[in-house]
Structure formats: C-alpha cells, structure tokens
Amino acid sequence: TVQFSPETVQAIEKVMEAKLGFQHVNSVFGEGPSPKFRKLTTGLEALGFPQDLMRHNQHRLIYSIPLCKEANSYLLDESTDLPDYIRNPEKFCNATEKIAYYWRERWLKSRINHEPSLLTLSNTKKWALSEELPVDRGDTFEEQETHSSEVTLTDSSDFNTNNQDLNFWRSFAYASQNVCSDELKYDDLERLHIKSALDDFVLEKVQKGYSIILTGNAGDGKTHLFNRLKSDLSKYGTIIQTDATAAMRRGDITPILNEWRKAQSKKVPYCLAANEYPLYQLRSNGQQDLPILKEVDRQCRYRLAYGPEIDEENPRDKIIVIDLSLRNPLNPKFAGAVIDKIIHNNAIENYAQSTQDPIFTRNYIHLSHPIVKERLLKLFDRLRMRGYRAPIRELWIIISRLFFGSSSHIVETEWSPTSWFSERLFELDDRFSLSTLLRQWSDPVRCSHPHWDAILEQPGSSNSGDWLIEGQEPLYSLRRNLADRFRAMKRIFYFEHKNGIESFDLEDDSTKEFFDFLKGIKQSDSLMIKKIIKAINLCYCPSYFNGIQDALYLWIGHRFHEKPSCSFIANQYIAINQFEALLPRLPKRMENAIEYLPDHFLLRCNINEKQYNLRIDYSLYNTLNKLENGIPRHLVPERDINRLDIFIEQLLSANVNQERIFIAFNAELRCINRIRISNDWRKFEEVSKHE
C-alpha cells in the first residue's frame, strides 16, 4: 500500500461510499487489521483490478531460542535424545548453588593458598556491584539514573600526600563517571569552576527581575553554577531549586509549581536547574496552573536561530531558558580553560617542580607547551564539529588523567610510553563516552600518512631537531612490540613534532569541506547548495541528467511488496534559487550568555511564505558525499536516507506546481526516461530517453 498517495485512498473512499451508500471501512479499532489495505482492496476490485493484486507480504515473525543443541532435530520430529535438564527441569532448581559449589571446590580452594593470586588481589582496586547499579528508591527510571550518579570523590586519605589541592585533582583522575557536583563542598566547586560570561549573565538578568531556567544534560554544570552563585543570587531574594528531579518525586511537578508561585507572590526571581525530561514534564503538564510555562515551552522549542534577527528571539515574559547542552564543553575555549585551571594550580605546579614523581613532571612540562595544548584542543574540536559532546565532569576526569593516570595501582616506568599523556588520552574506558569518541574520531593512529608513517616505523629515523620539546625523538621501552611502539610514536608525533599537525592532512575531502563551511571559509553558499541539491537528486536517480544541480526534484518512489523501490518519478521541482544554507546561532535573548559554535547547518527552502528545513550535520553531509560519488542509496546509513525522504515528503506537501513532463528512473534497467503528458492529462504524448 505504500505507493498509493493519500489522495488516491480518499478518492477510493468517496467512490465506494457513493456506490454502497455507507462508509465501508471506518478506521476504528475492532473492524479488522490494516484499514488502508482493505479500502484499497475493495476499491481497486470495484474498478476492475484482480482480487489478488493487493498482497502485503509481511509475514508473522516467530522467534525461538535453542535451549540445547538437539533443538532443531526435535522440532523436525526426528528421533532425538533430549538432555535431562529439558526433560526434567524440576531436578535442576538448585543449579546455581551447584555451579557455585563447583567453582569453590575446583578454583577457589587452590587459589586461597596461591601467594601470587593473593598479591594480585590485594593490588586490585576495591569496588562493589551496588556502585554500578541504580539505587532502588522507588523512583522513576529518570530519578534512579540521577540518584545513581550522586557519589562522592575518592577519600583523599588514600594518597601519600597532605596537600588538599593535589588530593582533589588526583582523586578526580581516579574517580568514576559518578562524580557529581551535588556532593562537593564550596572549596571543591571553586577548584572546578571556570569563570565565564554565563556567571555575569545570570546575575545581571536576576538583578533585573528575570527568572532563569538552566537545562541540558546531566553533567552540563547546571547545579554547579547555581550552587556557586547561591550567595550572590540570594541578595535579590531569589528562590533557587538546584535539582528539579530531586524535587519532583515520582514525576510530581507540584513542588516545583508551589515554589514558583511563592516566588511570583513575593515578586522575586525563580531559578531552576532541570534536566530535559523533568522540564518537559513541567512544560507539558503545568501550563494551566502556571501560565509562564507557555513562554518556557516556546523558548524550548526555538533554542537556535537561523538567518537575520527577528523580534521573536526576545523573551515575551521575564524568564530566560538557557540550554547548557548548546555550550559544548569540547569547544576550544572551554576545554582550554579546563587545562589551564589544572596547569596553573599552585599545588600542581609545585608538585611538578619537586620532581617527586618524574612521570607527573614530564607530562606537566609537555602539556604546558602551547603547541601541545593547541593540538590537544584540536582533537576535542574534531569531536565537537562532528556533533559529539561530553559532560563537563567527563572532560575534567579525562584531562586530570593526562597528569595523574587513571589508577594508583598501575605501575609505570618513566620511559614507558604507557605513562605518556598521549597514551593516557586514548586509554580505553567504556564508562566514558569521551574516551570512546577520542579513540574513534581523534586518534592519529586511525589516519594514515605514508610519508610520516614510514619514518615513524623506523626507530631513530626522524630528524631530532624537529621534536619541539625534548629536541630528540622520545625514548621508549624496547620491550614493547613494534605495533604498540608505532601507535605510541604516531600519537606523540602529532603532539610534539614540528610536522605533527600533518597527521590528518590525508583525511577525506568531505570532512575538510564540512569543517571549513562551519568555520565560514572556502566554499560559498551557492556552491554548497548546488552540491547538496545534486547529491539529493542522485539519492533517487543515480544517473546524471541535465539540470541535476539546478533544481531539487520531488521524487516519488514506486515498489512492489516490501522490496526496495524499483523506480522513482518526479514532475515537480524547486529551483535552486529558493534554497539557502544557514549556519545556526544563539537567539538574541541568549546573546553573551554562553559561547556557541555550530556543528551543523540548515538547507532551507522558502515556498509560499513557509519554511522547510533539512538539518545537515556531519553524518548526513558524509552520506551526501557518498551519494555524489556514486554509492547507491542502499549502501549508506538508513537513518540519513530517512531524513532525506522526510524532507522530500515535506516539500511535496507544499503544493509545488506539477509539470506535464515527468522524469522517471528505472532502478532495474538503470535508465532515465522523459515522459510528456497531454494537456488534459489523459494521454502520453512522448516517452524518450532523458539526457
């Protein structure tokens, strides 16, 4: 049924209603499955089509799990000797206890008296399974997720130093992803705080009587900021709620509404820190009780602006919603401030100068070098421009580990590459999304460069004078195998060699084009639009034709059953001059609040005073380049093809003029035809090969 348009179905409904005198299918529960299928079947049969024309070919699916290797033979009714645990399951109720008993007898008994095993066990960091699981407090899933992250930092008494600052940073490096600002003292908040324009913005707006809502993801710094500014905000009588999830027990928004009404009655600002879902609950269920939530909802729906400034970007009431997820911690300015915060800490600086820990001193000296810092920030920025982000607490932990390592139990030597900051940066830790992203998208090892790779494969073959910090090729442990050594050298080369920035020079052109466009350099808007229009047309008609980059054709696919579309046809198109490429920016109400750097742009089409947008991020841009280079649509990510399909469907709803000339692509014959229809739309006047 997918190839039949809504207009066709409506026409059939009208015909059948006129013929029968009543509505045959009412699309209500209990009538039967697939009302559209039944409408079309009855209508097409009345029009003379054969009864078996309509077949959906969607079979019922049955899933099975083989509980023994004889399962297939048993299901085929073959003679099979099933295992006893299948035939008599009641005999195996205590199977878990028996397995545990066998493990104790077979393995544990012998290990208890095995000194190397006991030594290894004593050096293993303690952990409890309960720390890895959500705490069951009868909360909703969202609340459990929040509460499970409220774990304090490692006790500083674990470290062989009395310096509180040093203890703090070291404990942060050894901490899990559960470090949460709710549990930190004011002094700790000061150590972590990055002074930014947001501090002054919040205080200035509150002083003028504005209420402030900070939203975003867990770990974006909402609670941290309000906790730090609490004393200053209190001067204006501000009522502050630092955690909406904690206040809304079991999703009940009443406590928030009551506090907000109290602030309104006292005519003082109200400040709320809320993750996305609690704020969504407030917006959805609280507008009748608290009308100001309508403005909150409006601002949440339009968090970014495109094109010239308009009045709607200003607040319509004395409230401003600030989405901290737009302040990507991976942008160079913020991440650079995090690095500087550690490097310029007196305790860190003194500890490095003391050389008590040669590994720490070495990494401190190297990370303090301006070129090393600049290149580290470029790696974070590569993730940002691809649309990735990381919570602030993850960024703190990963950067702290460059200095301290990830555990006090890992034994490293001064000249072992595992102790280099460049290796610690890419140390795999599945608990942190940032760790995985760095390895996948920012690791120099993943980008080949024949010239430099050949040099780095041979120890001592690089020019010593080109190494910026030590003036020679870094020393390394000869015990490492060649593959490990090459990886370590490739990474340190990127950071510390004069030509290290060339590590990513041979990256694919689409990545460079996308990054350059976001930065506003190189390619003009018109060239970019032509490129995108051409690629979208090729998604549906993968053969070149005249005008393929001058207009976007509104393709309609035709297919039989559940097979991929066997043809695409279009007799509507939108000229290229009706499209524009727009970079996002913060709306006027949030100017000077946070720093926003774009990670996508819009392809916008203006038709009859309406706007139709296609959001193009790195993933989709990469897919468009693949389509332009001839890769068929079924070999690129389906999620990106779906986005293009939805965009075309939106444009089809805009009632673009239909032409009598159709362009049809046959996927089986790989040919394009030009079809001309008569003025009365009743006859084919011409069918020819389209050039």
Side-chain angles (χ1 to χ4, degrees):
T1 62
V2 292
Q3 68 265 29
F4 293 97
S5 69
E7 291 79 10
T8 300
V9 178
Q10 290 172 9
I12 286 178
E13 283 184 287
K14 289 180 180 178
V15 169
M16 294 308 300
E17 192 172 346
K19 181 178 180 180
L20 300 173
F22 61 90
Q23 192 167 325
H24 178 59
V25 180
N26 297 288
S27 301
V28 295
F29 180 77
E31 270 193 338
S34 187
K36 182 180 178 183
F37 184 90
R38 287 184 287 117
K39 289 175 186 177
L40 288 168
T41 301
T42 307
L44 292 174
E45 186 178 346
L47 291 170
F49 288 93
Q51 289 183 346
D52 63 347
L53 176 68
M54 299 292 291
R55 294 194 307 275
H56 61 63
N57 252 29
Q58 292 177 322
H59 302 289
R60 297 282 182 183
L61 298 179
I62 299 176
Y63 297 92
S64 65
I65 301 172
L67 297 178
C68 62
K69 63 182 180 181
E70 298 85 3
N72 287 344
S73 300
Y74 175 77
L75 292 173
L76 292 171
D77 201 25
E78 298 175 356
S79 178
T80 305
D81 185 19
L82 292 175
D84 199 33
Y85 65 85
I86 296 291
R87 288 185 287 107
N88 303 296
E90 68 279 357
K91 293 182 180 180
F92 297 87
C93 294
N94 60 345
T96 302
E97 294 176 11
K98 288 183 177 180
I99 292 171
Y101 174 78
Y102 178 81
W103 175 79
R104 289 194 299 268
E105 293 295 312
R106 173 69 179 83
W107 192 89
L108 185 60
K109 264 187 179 181
S110 61
R111 294 305 189 277
I112 286 176
N113 298 318
H114 187 239
E115 288 189 10
S117 296
L118 295 176
L119 180 62
T120 301
L121 185 63
S122 67
N123 289 330
T124 302
K125 185 178 179 180
K126 296 178 182 178
W127 66 280
L129 182 60
S130 59
E131 294 175 359
E132 307 298 322
L133 299 173
V135 180
D136 185 8
R137 303 178 181 177
D139 303 332
T140 62
F141 174 78
E142 292 81 10
E143 289 171 326
Q144 287 181 359
E145 196 172 40
T146 302
H147 290 315
S148 68
S149 68
E150 295 173 1
V151 180
T152 56
L153 293 169
T154 308
D155 189 346
S156 62
S157 62
D158 290 341
F159 306 114
N160 298 320
T161 175
N162 294 320
N163 188 295
Q164 290 185 350
D165 267 4
L166 203 61
N167 279 339
F168 176 80
W169 293 115
R170 198 193 306 256
S171 66
F172 220 94
Y174 296 170
S176 70
Q177 75 271 36
N178 296 329
V179 175
C180 184
S181 66
D182 304 59
E183 304 296 324
L184 299 179
K185 299 175 182 177
Y186 183 81
D187 289 344
D188 295 334
L189 291 175
E190 281 299 302
R191 291 187 180 98
L192 288 173
H193 187 66
I194 303 295
K195 183 74 168 66
S196 69
L198 182 59
D199 302 44
D200 297 331
F201 181 88
V202 170
L203 291 174
E204 178 189 340
K205 293 298 179 181
V206 166
Q207 187 178 6
K208 292 179 179 179
Y210 281 84
S211 293
I212 301 290
I213 292 183
L214 296 182
T215 188
N217 304 305
D220 278 339
K222 305 179 293 295
T223 299
H224 168 89
L225 182 66
F226 278 150
N227 280 338
R228 187 180 179 279
L229 297 179
K230 189 174 289 186
S231 60
D232 290 326
L233 293 172
S234 299
K235 296 175 184 177
Y236 309 105
T238 311
I239 294 178
I240 306 169
Q241 175 51 259
T242 59
D243 188 352
T245 304
M248 293 165 51
R249 300 296 295 172
R250 298 183 180 276
D252 181 11
I253 65 173
T254 306
I256 300 289
L257 298 179
N258 290 340
E259 289 292 290
W260 207 325
R261 289 195 198 97
K262 187 190 299 183
Q264 288 181 331
S265 65
K266 292 182 177 181
K267 297 183 179 180
V268 297
Y270 179 68
C271 288
L272 174 68
N275 288 345
E276 288 285 358
Y277 184 67
L279 185 58
Y280 171 76
Q281 290 178 299
L282 276 170
R283 292 158 49 199
S284 302
N285 305 321
Q287 291 189 27
Q288 288 185 343
D289 295 321
L290 199 65
I292 197 172
L293 284 170
K294 293 180 181 178
E295 172 61 11
V296 172
D297 185 62
R298 187 188 73 85
Q299 292 187 24
C300 286
R301 292 177 185 277
Y302 300 99
R303 305 189 188 204
L304 287 173
Y306 302 85
E309 288 186 357
I310 55 178
D311 288 339
E312 290 184 355
E313 296 178 31
N314 294 313
R316 296 175 180 173
D317 210 330
K318 282 214 161 187
I319 187 165
I320 295 179
V321 179
I322 303 174
D323 184 358
L324 292 189
S325 68
L326 298 176
R327 179 189 66 174
N328 195 326
L330 298 178
N331 85 61
K333 187 174 181 180
F334 189 89
V338 171
I339 297 171
D340 288 341
K341 190 83 172 180
I342 299 178
I343 287 176
H344 299 308
N345 179 273
N346 290 333
I348 297 287
E349 200 168 355
N350 293 336
Y351 187 57
Q353 292 174 356
S354 73
T355 68
Q356 292 180 37
D357 182 349
I359 294 174
F360 181 90
T361 300
R362 180 186 187 279
N363 285 327
Y364 178 88
I365 292 171
H366 288 235
L367 287 163
S368 300
H369 195 284
I371 290 182
V372 171
K373 176 187 169 185
E374 177 188 350
R375 292 181 182 178
L376 175 59
L377 296 179
K378 285 183 182 293
L379 296 187
F380 290 137
D381 203 39
R382 285 171 60 82
L383 300 181
R384 181 197 62 77
M385 286 193 285
R386 282 174 166 81
Y388 297 115
R389 68 188 312 280
I392 292 176
R393 60 172 168 243
E394 275 195 27
L395 184 63
W396 278 114
I397 290 170
I398 294 296
I399 291 179
S400 298
R401 288 182 172 185
L402 302 183
F403 296 88
F404 293 98
S406 59
S407 171
S408 60
H409 301 297
I410 297 176
V411 179
E412 297 173 325
T413 62
E414 184 177 355
W415 303 115
S416 169
T418 57
S419 69
W420 297 350
F421 74 91
S422 53
E423 289 297 283
R424 289 174 173 176
L425 180 66
F426 300 104
E427 182 182 312
L428 182 59
D429 191 332
D430 290 332
R431 296 173 300 166
F432 302 109
S433 60
L434 181 54
S435 172
T436 304
L437 292 171
L438 283 166
R439 289 173 66 89
Q440 184 174 357
W441 297 109
S442 293
D443 192 346
V445 171
R446 297 179 67 91
C447 196
S448 297
H449 195 298
H451 174 70
W452 291 113
D453 288 0
I455 293 175
L456 294 173
E457 284 175 351
Q458 304 298 322
S461 60
S462 62
N463 187 346
S464 294
D466 290 338
W467 291 91
L468 301 174
I469 299 178
E470 296 181 351
Q472 62 178 5
E473 188 175 288
L475 300 177
Y476 55 88
S477 171
L478 293 174
R479 289 177 296 176
R480 289 168 66 87
N481 63 50
L482 291 178
D484 287 343
R485 180 200 170 276
F486 175 74
R487 279 194 292 270
M489 291 303 297
K490 189 76 185 284
R491 289 164 178 164
I492 202 68
F493 167 81
Y494 166 78
F495 284 105
E496 299 187 4
H497 193 276
K498 181 180 74 173
N499 303 104
I501 200 67
E502 297 178 17
S503 295
F504 297 101
D505 273 3
L506 299 185
E507 202 165 33
D508 59 281
D509 291 338
S510 64
T511 298
K512 294 178 183 176
E513 288 173 356
F514 181 74
F515 289 177
D516 286 343
F517 190 77
L518 292 186
K519 295 173 183 175
I521 57 178
K522 286 194 176 180
Q523 204 162 28
S524 67
D525 288 4
S526 59
L527 289 175
M528 177 61 79
I529 294 170
K530 279 191 173 185
K531 177 184 178 71
I532 294 169
I533 295 296
K534 175 183 173 184
I536 297 177
N537 283 327
L538 286 170
C539 177
Y540 302 93
C541 177
S543 296
Y544 284 82
F545 58 87
N546 288 335
I548 192 172
Q549 63 181 12
D550 298 325
L552 177 61
Y553 286 78
L554 307 186
W555 302 94
I556 298 175
H558 293 268
R559 62 179 178 173
F560 300 106
H561 312 318
E562 294 304 307
K563 297 179 180 179
S565 296
C566 61
S567 67
F568 290 94
I569 191 167
N571 73 324
Q572 297 168 279
Y573 63 84
I574 301 172
I576 193 172
N577 60 10
Q578 290 183 261
F579 291 91
E580 54 185 336
L582 301 170
L583 287 172
R585 57 176 175 79
L586 290 177
K588 198 171 183 180
R589 64 179 177 272
M590 286 175 59
E591 271 184 348
N592 305 319
I594 58 177
E595 183 184 28
Y596 173 75
L597 296 176
D599 57 12
H600 70 279
F601 64 92
L602 285 190
L603 178 68
R604 172 170 286 176
C605 179
N606 298 288
I607 305 175
N608 300 327
E609 298 183 354
K610 287 189 176 181
Q611 296 173 341
Y612 302 86
N613 300 317
L614 176 64
R615 187 181 189 275
I616 300 179
D617 54 17
Y618 176 77
S619 173
L620 183 55
Y621 190 78
N622 209 22
T623 291
L624 291 171
N625 271 277
K626 291 177 180 177
L627 292 167
E628 187 182 17
N629 291 329
I631 296 179
R633 58 183 278 145
H634 66 274
L635 293 181
V636 295
E638 187 177 358
R639 64 181 182 276
D640 292 333
I641 297 299
N642 290 340
R643 291 164 66 185
L644 297 179
D645 289 345
I646 291 170
F647 184 54
I648 294 292
E649 287 177 13
Q650 290 174 342
L651 294 175
L652 281 166
S653 70
N655 297 320
V656 178
N657 290 335
Q658 296 194 38
E659 305 290 333
R660 290 192 300 114
I661 295 176
F662 291 74
I663 297 177
F665 174 74
N666 187 307
E668 294 177 352
L669 301 177
R670 300 284 299 178
C671 66
I672 310 176
N673 292 320
R674 182 177 181 273
I675 304 166
R676 190 174 74 241
I677 306 295
S678 61
N679 287 329
D680 59 6
W681 294 78
R682 298 176 64 87
K683 293 188 297 184
F684 294 101
E685 288 188 345
E686 176 192 350
V687 177
S688 60
K689 185 177 180 181
H690 188 72
E691 300 296 339

